[in-house]
Amino acid sequence: DTAVSQTPKYLVTQMGNDKSIKCEQNLGHDTMYWYKQDSKKFLKIMFSYNNKELIINETVPNRFSPKSPDKAHLNLHINSLELGDSAVYFCASSQDRWAGATGETQYFGPGTRLLVL
Amino acid sequence: GESVGLHLPTLSVQEGDNSIINCAYSNSASDYFIWYKQESGKGPQFIIDIRSNMDKRQGQRVTVLLNKTVKHLSLQIAATQPGDSAVYFCAENNNAGNMLTFGGGTRLMVKP
């Protein structure tokens, strides 16, 4: 079974549209994350949720709205898509919210490749 | 601001040789570091980690070295194989300990 899964894997859309990316983890983890990876492979955290509570929001435009219906799911909704939103979006999860406090690492999903035309 | 290895250099090695991938960090308060491997079309995958109270840690064919004096982290891969071809990222935890900051990555290419 896939530990962290994302849908869709590919997303091609027009500028101005609204789209959602879904993420689910079956690891029983308490914390989930969204990362954005640009064309130069730079990986930057966007959000983190712990038990459905937002704990990290790294100055992401408010067109991006994460939603966590339960601790196994963290979805990302993007309004009014812009060309600069084209990237690969990774969901990840970890047991604990403290990076490294218990030697816990983050497990990443396969990524969603978003292309805005 | 604080940064972890901002560039994406490429390291090309011959199959069977040892590889050394380097990472510089600037947050002296970081106490936990991780190396991730990202294969083409996939998400990053944990390789090995190290705490700041250690200077070396070994795994299977991989060794991580931490030099806190010069804020340098390295990943050594022994007997590099074609399957090791990927982008490798170092990451460090932030001052609050609740977030990982990733470096820019290094692409490792293994020549048969």
Side-chain angles (χ1 to χ4, degrees), chain A residues 37 41 99-100 103 105-106 113, chain B residues 32 36 38 41 51 89 97-98:
Chain A
Q37 186 173 50
K41 295 293 187 183
T105 187
Q106 296 178 16
R113 285 137 191 88
Chain B
Y32 180 62
Y36 280 89
Q38 185 179 18
R51 296 192 182 283
F89 295 93
N98 64 349

Side-chain angles (χ1 to χ4, degrees), chain A residues 15-76:
Chain A
M15 219 167 35
N17 284 349
D18 303 337
K19 290 294 178 185
S20 291
I21 307 172
K22 295 186 176 182
C23 178
E24 176 180 3
Q25 54 95 3
N26 62 7
L27 297 166
H29 287 169
D30 289 339
T31 307
M32 296 184 72
Y33 312 80
W34 277 109
Y35 286 84
K36 179 180 180 180
Q37 186 173 50
D38 63 23
S39 59
K40 296 180 181 176
K41 295 293 187 183
F42 189 67
L43 193 63
K44 184 169 172 53
I45 191 167
M46 301 171 68
F47 300 103
S48 173
Y49 270 72
N50 178 261
N51 271 320
K52 304 193 295 176
E53 176 190 355
L54 179 66
I55 57 172
I56 294 173
N57 181 342
E58 281 294 292
T59 59
V60 177
N62 56 17
R63 296 183 296 105
F64 290 79
S65 52
K67 285 186 171 52
S68 183
D70 54 62
K71 73 174 191 177
H73 296 83
L74 181 62
N75 303 323
L76 184 65

